[in-house]
Amino acid sequence: MSDLTATTDIDSRLEGHRVELTGYCYRMLGSAFEAEDAVQDTLVRAWRSFDKFEGRSSLRSWLYRIATNVCLDMLNAGNKRARPVDLTGPTPLAQAALNPLPENTWLEPMPDGRILPTVADPAEAAVARESVRLAFVAALQHLPPKQRAVLILREVLAWKASEVAELLDTSVASVNSALQRARATLTEHEGMPVDAANPLDEEQRKLLERYVAAFEGYDMAALTALLHEDAVMTMPPFDLWLQGHDDITGFMLSIGAGCAGSRLVATSANGTPAFAHYKPNPDGPGFVPWAVQVIDISEGAITGMHCFLDTPRWFPLFGLPDHLDADAA
């Protein structure tokens, strides 16, 4: 085998693990861009030391060991992401004000295609989607870094305790103890369950169709009928969050009134339905990016509208166009 062929083969083998490693690093770090940086660092380290890989473990296990060390180093710098609902209580509409916090405060959305590898087993796919939900990844942020790694490897990726112990250079007893503590912490922080959405069932599809019609028509009565009574609306990078359909629709008719006449384009993020939100272009025809909306559904109602407003970062990540024509449906 020529050197060029060997190099291409190594590149291909390493690249084949990118999506699942990105999912792992995203769960660890809570940031789309930090996760992709961590994976790139992992693959570069692996490529540089591939001649030292002796095959005593699988290539996958070796890559996870490198990725875990990269993430732990990053987390030792104090990185901890959150949602607005994790930082304050809901803001009454009468007191609503838009106060931005630094980008590194926030848990970030992630396109499904970058973190969910294709798997044949529906149960395995369901676990993977559940484990990248915003609420789950936010709950992980409450765990110390090594507990975070243990829980993801054991509960999400179904590694054996002995395998995790070897990866972390610790004992099986230590792994089991960390997992027990992590489960207890997670139970305290996880919030309302969200319905599975892969594939969407008929009821969920109809609910989302009605949501699009209500939002694009700016029909607050129709939107109210779709929202759970305790639904929340968040808008990072602002720390403001609203709870209840009265405050949500009241905000949309006041501070958010500029969103009237918007268009929504379906996408997917964090294992749940999502939309690219385009507002009418104030400077000409068509529509311009305004937010990526990640939607939570539970018990036949919308329980969360998480609107990520930093569109220069999010729209390229999701592969979304930076403009919609005036006749966009």
Side-chain angles (χ1 to χ4, degrees):
M1 182 182 294
S2 70
D3 290 346
L4 178 59
T5 302
T7 299
T8 302
D9 180 60
I10 293 169
D11 288 345
S12 177
R13 291 176 65 189
L14 295 177
E15 193 63 30
H17 294 275
R18 181 180 291 275
V19 173
E20 66 168 313
L21 287 172
T22 305
Y24 175 62
C25 293
Y26 174 70
R27 296 177 185 100
M28 286 288 289
L29 301 169
S31 163
F33 297 101
E34 287 181 1
E36 296 204 326
D37 287 347
V39 172
Q40 192 60 32
D41 190 3
T42 296
L43 297 181
V44 168
R45 292 187 190 190
W47 194 90
R48 287 175 175 167
S49 57
F50 198 83
D51 58 336
K52 299 175 185 175
F53 173 57
E54 299 172 350
R56 286 178 294 188
S57 63
S58 69
L59 176 62
R60 181 172 183 255
S61 297
W62 184 60
L63 289 172
Y64 270 94
R65 176 188 288 270
I66 298 171
T68 300
N69 289 332
V70 170
C71 289
L72 292 178
D73 286 345
M74 294 173 75
L75 290 167
N76 284 339
N79 301 15
K80 181 179 178 182
R81 303 276 177 158
R83 303 169 299 168
V85 298
D86 302 317
L87 301 181
T88 65
T91 304
L93 178 60
Q95 299 172 20
L98 300 178
N99 302 308
L101 294 181
E103 170 274 319
N104 62 3
T105 306
W106 302 116
L107 183 69
E108 297 178 347
M110 190 63 147
D112 285 356
R114 290 180 179 259
I115 50 174
L116 293 175
T118 302
V119 295
D121 183 353
E124 186 180 340
V127 169
R129 299 184 78 83
E130 176 73 12
S131 69
V132 294
R133 285 191 303 108
L134 288 172
F136 184 84
V137 179
L140 288 174
Q141 302 292 300
H142 293 277
L143 302 177
K146 284 198 174 180
Q147 281 187 30
R148 206 178 300 182
V150 167
L151 186 130
I152 297 167
L153 291 165
R154 293 282 285 119
E155 301 280 78
V156 178
L157 301 176
W159 285 38
K160 297 176 182 176
S162 58
E163 294 171 328
V164 178
E166 182 180 355
L167 183 145
L168 294 175
D169 293 322
T170 188
S171 66
V172 169
S174 177
V175 167
N176 289 336
S177 175
L179 179 60
Q180 188 174 8
R181 295 195 302 274
R183 284 171 173 164
T185 302
L186 222 59
T187 300
E188 295 175 15
H189 292 284
E190 248 211 293
M192 184 181 291
V194 175
D195 291 352
N198 183 38
L200 293 168
D201 62 29
E202 187 66 21
E203 182 180 343
Q204 291 169 330
R205 280 196 298 272
K206 288 181 177 177
L207 177 67
L208 291 170
E209 288 170 2
R210 291 165 61 201
Y211 172 74
V212 171
F215 195 98
E216 292 188 345
Y218 234 59
D219 183 339
M220 295 301 117
L223 185 60
T224 295
L226 306 177
L227 295 177
H228 189 280
E229 61 180 6
D230 292 324
V232 301
M233 182 178 183
T234 67
M235 292 161 280
F238 301 116
D239 60 359
L240 166 77
W241 66 279
L242 303 158
Q243 185 168 41
H245 39 65
D246 288 345
D247 277 0
I248 291 172
T249 56
F251 177 89
M252 292 176 66
L253 289 172
S254 54
I255 297 174
C259 290
S262 291
R263 295 291 180 266
L264 300 182
V265 176
T267 182
S268 61
N270 294 84
T272 58
F275 295 98
H277 173 188
Y278 292 83
K279 278 176 60 172
N281 184 359
D283 300 316
F287 302 86
V288 293
W290 183 248
V292 169
Q293 298 183 5
V294 182
I295 305 297
D296 292 335
I297 299 173
S298 184
E299 299 176 354
I302 290 172
T303 56
M305 301 163 59
H306 307 290
C307 307
F308 294 88
L309 303 180
D310 190 357
T311 55
R313 302 178 80 226
W314 304 128
F315 275 51
L317 182 73
F318 279 77
L320 294 163
D322 60 6
H323 185 268
L324 286 186
D325 293 337
D327 60 353

